[in-house]
Each structure stands twice: as structure tokens, then as C-alpha cells.
Amino acid sequence: MTADLSQQPRDPQAPKGRPTPKRSEAQTQRRRANSGAPLDRKAAVKRQREARRADLARQREALASGDERYLPVRDKGPVRRFVRDYVDSRFCVAEWFLPLAVIILILSVIQVQNIQSISLLLWMGVIILIVIDSIGLSIRLKKQLRERFPDTPKRGAVAYGLMRTLQMRRLRLPKPQVKRGERP
């Protein structure tokens, strides 16, 4: 009958065979064991990197599908969703700024005085149209937000909508959930 050494009670007078750890070392070991954190730094960094990658992938998927749960903080909430739908449901001059800017830039490079004058007038016209459209949008959007969300904080919602108008509809993230002309 051989008994396992770990099963036998240790004599309290006998030396234990190792030095007693300092209190700080014992606490650190206990915390690590309880938290499930890896003991080496490389493994911890690798695990954090993988978790971050998974979060970003989930966020990208949510931006494409419009899933509210995983959207970035700047896009979350019923106010931001309403602003997105309101902007996406209407035509805005600002969303055509980039294609128009390329055309006007090409026209301004041509070395014909009349064409250069026309391109300068087009620049002015596009900018004035964008400013007028943006002012009208902000006034209507503020009114709608006051009516629909009287007690909800709306800080930055109008600026969020105006920035969304500057992006071409196909390139907007989160993707538009309403069609043009459809009211949110």
C-alpha cells in the first residue's frame, strides 16, 4: 500500500521545500489566476488584437447592413437613424459635388478663355447651390427633430446629416435604408 505523497498530510514542523512568496507576488498570482489573463505578454497582445479585429469586422458588417447593435457610437441611436433616413430620402446637391468638381476642374484646365470663365461661374453656382440646399436642409431637419424627439438630446445631429449629404449615396455608410422620395 503506497500512498500518494500529495495525499499525506504534511507535518507542520517540517520545512515545505520552497520560500514563502511575498504578499505582492501572491496577490498578483491570484489575480492572474482569477482573471483568466495569459501569463505572457505576447499571448495577451495577440488575444487583444484578435478581439479588436473581430469587433472591427462586426462593425463593418453592421455599417453595410444597418444593424444598430454593432454600429459605431457616432451612428447609434434613434435620432441618428432618423437623420440618416431623412437625408437619404431626398435629393441633395452636395452629393454631386465630387463629380461636378472633376468636370469643372477639367474645364478650367482647357486653355480657352471662354471655357475657363464658364468653369469659374460653374464653381460659384455649385457652391451657392450647395450652401442654399444645406441651409434649407438644416432648417427642415431641426424642425423635424424638435417634433419627433422633443426630450431626446440632439447634439450634433444636424451636422451629422449635413456631412452625410456630402457623400455620394452609393458610398454612404451605414448604407441607406430608405429609397429616394420615401419619407422616414
Side-chain angles (χ1 to χ4, degrees):
M1 260 177 110
T2 57
D4 192 342
L5 292 175
S6 64
Q7 296 287 334
Q8 291 179 352
R10 190 176 63 81
D11 180 21
Q13 306 301 326
K16 63 183 171 197
R18 59 181 167 77
T20 303
K22 291 183 179 177
R23 173 180 240 150
S24 61
E25 291 172 0
Q27 287 174 343
T28 304
Q29 286 176 349
R30 257 196 321 267
R31 281 191 201 113
R32 277 193 186 146
N34 290 341
S35 70
L39 297 176
D40 63 336
R41 205 171 135 265
K42 271 188 177 179
V45 168
K46 186 175 182 180
R47 198 166 79 186
Q48 282 179 337
R49 189 180 310 125
E50 291 301 320
R52 178 133 173 84
R53 252 190 219 132
D55 286 346
L56 288 174
R58 205 176 310 124
Q59 216 172 56
R60 262 194 311 274
E61 189 178 311
L63 285 170
S65 67
D67 187 4
E68 280 281 331
R69 292 174 296 174
Y70 303 113
L71 284 176
V73 177
R74 69 156 202 258
D75 296 319
K76 277 187 179 175
V79 173
R80 297 296 169 111
R81 182 174 189 84
F82 173 76
V83 170
R84 281 195 306 272
D85 291 345
Y86 187 82
V87 168
D88 293 340
S89 70
R90 57 189 310 273
F91 172 79
C92 298
V93 178
E95 71 184 87
W96 295 101
F97 175 73
L98 285 176
L100 289 172
V102 170
I103 292 169
I104 293 171
L105 191 63
I106 291 170
L107 289 175
S108 67
V109 172
I110 297 174
Q111 294 294 323
V112 177
Q113 186 64 33
N114 288 341
I115 294 177
Q116 286 181 343
S117 299
I118 291 171
S119 70
L120 183 62
L121 289 173
L122 282 174
W123 270 122
M124 299 290 276
V126 166
I127 290 172
I128 289 171
L129 284 174
I130 289 173
V131 168
I132 291 171
D133 190 40
S134 297
I135 291 171
L137 173 74
S138 61
I139 290 170
R140 287 189 300 274
L141 189 54
K142 283 180 189 176
K143 181 181 175 190
Q144 288 287 324
L145 287 172
R146 273 194 305 269
E147 289 174 5
R148 292 192 186 219
F149 305 98
D151 300 330
T152 313
K154 299 171 274 293
R155 183 183 172 116
V158 175
Y160 176 75
L162 290 175
M163 290 305 295
R164 193 163 173 87
T165 64
L166 290 173
Q167 300 165 349
M168 293 177 67
R169 185 177 166 89
R170 282 179 287 142
L171 303 177
R172 291 178 184 165
L173 290 175
K175 295 284 184 196
Q177 301 293 316
V178 295
K179 295 178 180 172
R180 285 194 205 272
E182 192 178 303
R183 287 291 158 202

